[in-house]
Amino acid sequence: MEKKRSGGGKRAVDPGEMMRLLNGAYKGRRIELDFKTPLDLLVATILAAQCTDERVNRVTAALFKKYKTPSDYLRVPVEKLEGEIRPTGFYRNKARAIVNCCRALEEDFDGKVPRRMDDLTSLPGVGRKTANVILGHAFGTPGVVVDTHVTRVAARLGLTRETNPDRIEQDLMRLIPRDRWTETSHALVLHGRYVCKARKPACGPCVLSEHCPRIGV
């Protein structure tokens, strides 16, 4: 696959080399949401919608000390839960999502977060992105997470022409070895968050500067 760069000429896109460089640049970097249990990560991921991980972590530092199981969340009045998670924004919707997920966990999975994609996506409001976060980071099961950062970076790198997250996931799954799915998609998330930003990508210091076709930049 080849793409023209804005500076003229053509640059061959080598997905394998780009993924190797990305993984090297972000090697050892764990997910930035703090958690100890799969339930913690599920709740944190719900709270992270349209909110920074840093702010979520400030909220969950106290939250996770109080609520250890789905039944703990179900026992608390929803108004109190709303107040506790209010700094993350959209707190009413998020409180309802947490309660609905915890009710489903209690009713269908004996209070435990399931380890299968189909079971996770059966939970209210849980899509493949959230499921892959949990599978990859809580259970060690390879998964490709496609968020807004991955969508943007994968397009700029010429790794996909798709815009639908599920189709982008399929493209990346074909390009990345299965045992690197979690690691590489996490690297793409971090790269989009800190380097290949939406409005002003930092192309100069980018580890991929010699390989990136800079599509759409």
Side-chain angles (χ1 to χ4, degrees), residues 175-195:
L175 289 173
I176 303 166
R178 187 177 187 277
D179 63 347
R180 294 290 183 91
W181 284 353
T182 300
E183 175 188 6
T184 303
S185 59
H186 183 50
L188 287 166
V189 170
L190 294 176
H191 197 64
R193 185 174 293 171
Y194 296 113
V195 179

Side-chain angles (χ1 to χ4, degrees), residues 1-215:
M1 183 188 304
E2 290 187 340
K3 296 288 181 182
K4 288 186 178 181
R5 294 188 60 183
S6 58
K10 290 185 178 181
R11 172 137 321 166
V13 175
D14 183 348
E17 178 65 8
M18 288 193 291
M19 296 302 95
R20 185 188 69 79
L21 290 169
L22 267 183
N23 287 332
Y26 298 99
K27 187 176 180 61
R29 293 280 295 273
R30 68 182 298 276
I31 188 172
E32 294 183 330
L33 290 171
D34 293 337
F35 72 98
K36 290 184 178 178
T37 68
L39 178 62
D40 286 351
L41 184 55
L42 173 58
V43 171
T45 305
I46 291 171
L47 296 178
Q50 301 186 57
C51 183
T52 65
D53 289 358
E54 181 182 5
R55 179 169 294 181
V56 170
N57 290 338
R58 290 201 297 267
V59 169
T60 58
L63 199 71
F64 292 163
K65 291 178 181 178
K66 297 172 63 175
Y67 307 120
K68 307 287 189 181
T69 67
S71 59
D72 290 339
Y73 286 100
L74 294 175
R75 279 195 292 265
V76 65
V78 69
E79 294 81 9
K80 182 178 179 182
L81 182 59
E82 288 174 355
E84 291 174 316
I85 67 173
R86 185 169 185 150
T88 68
F90 303 97
Y91 58 94
R92 289 193 177 92
N93 289 340
K94 290 179 180 180
R96 184 164 60 249
I98 291 170
V99 168
N100 288 340
C101 272
C102 286
R103 184 174 294 114
L105 291 175
E106 285 289 302
E107 293 176 354
D108 300 329
F109 299 104
D110 297 322
K112 296 180 175 60
V113 177
R115 293 172 172 262
R116 297 177 60 251
M117 172 64 76
D118 289 348
D119 291 336
L120 283 167
T121 54
S122 75
L123 298 173
V126 174
R128 290 188 63 87
K129 182 190 79 171
T130 296
N132 276 319
V133 169
I134 295 166
L135 288 172
H137 295 282
F139 295 126
T141 300
V144 173
V145 175
V146 178
D147 67 355
T148 56
H149 298 300
V150 174
T151 297
R152 179 177 67 256
V153 175
R156 285 177 173 173
L157 295 179
L159 303 178
T160 183
R161 295 177 180 175
E162 301 291 347
T163 56
N164 177 277
D166 290 349
R167 292 180 179 177
I168 295 170
E169 180 185 346
Q170 293 299 315
D171 281 349
L172 294 178
M173 288 168 67
R174 285 189 287 269
L175 289 173
I176 303 166
R178 187 177 187 277
D179 63 347
R180 294 290 183 91
W181 284 353
T182 300
E183 175 188 6
T184 303
S185 59
H186 183 50
L188 287 166
V189 170
L190 294 176
H191 197 64
R193 185 174 293 171
Y194 296 113
V195 179
C196 196
K197 300 177 183 179
R199 292 187 178 180
K200 192 176 180 181
C203 296
C206 176
V207 69
L208 302 178
S209 60
E210 295 301 315
H211 302 271
C212 177
R214 302 184 188 182
I215 297 171

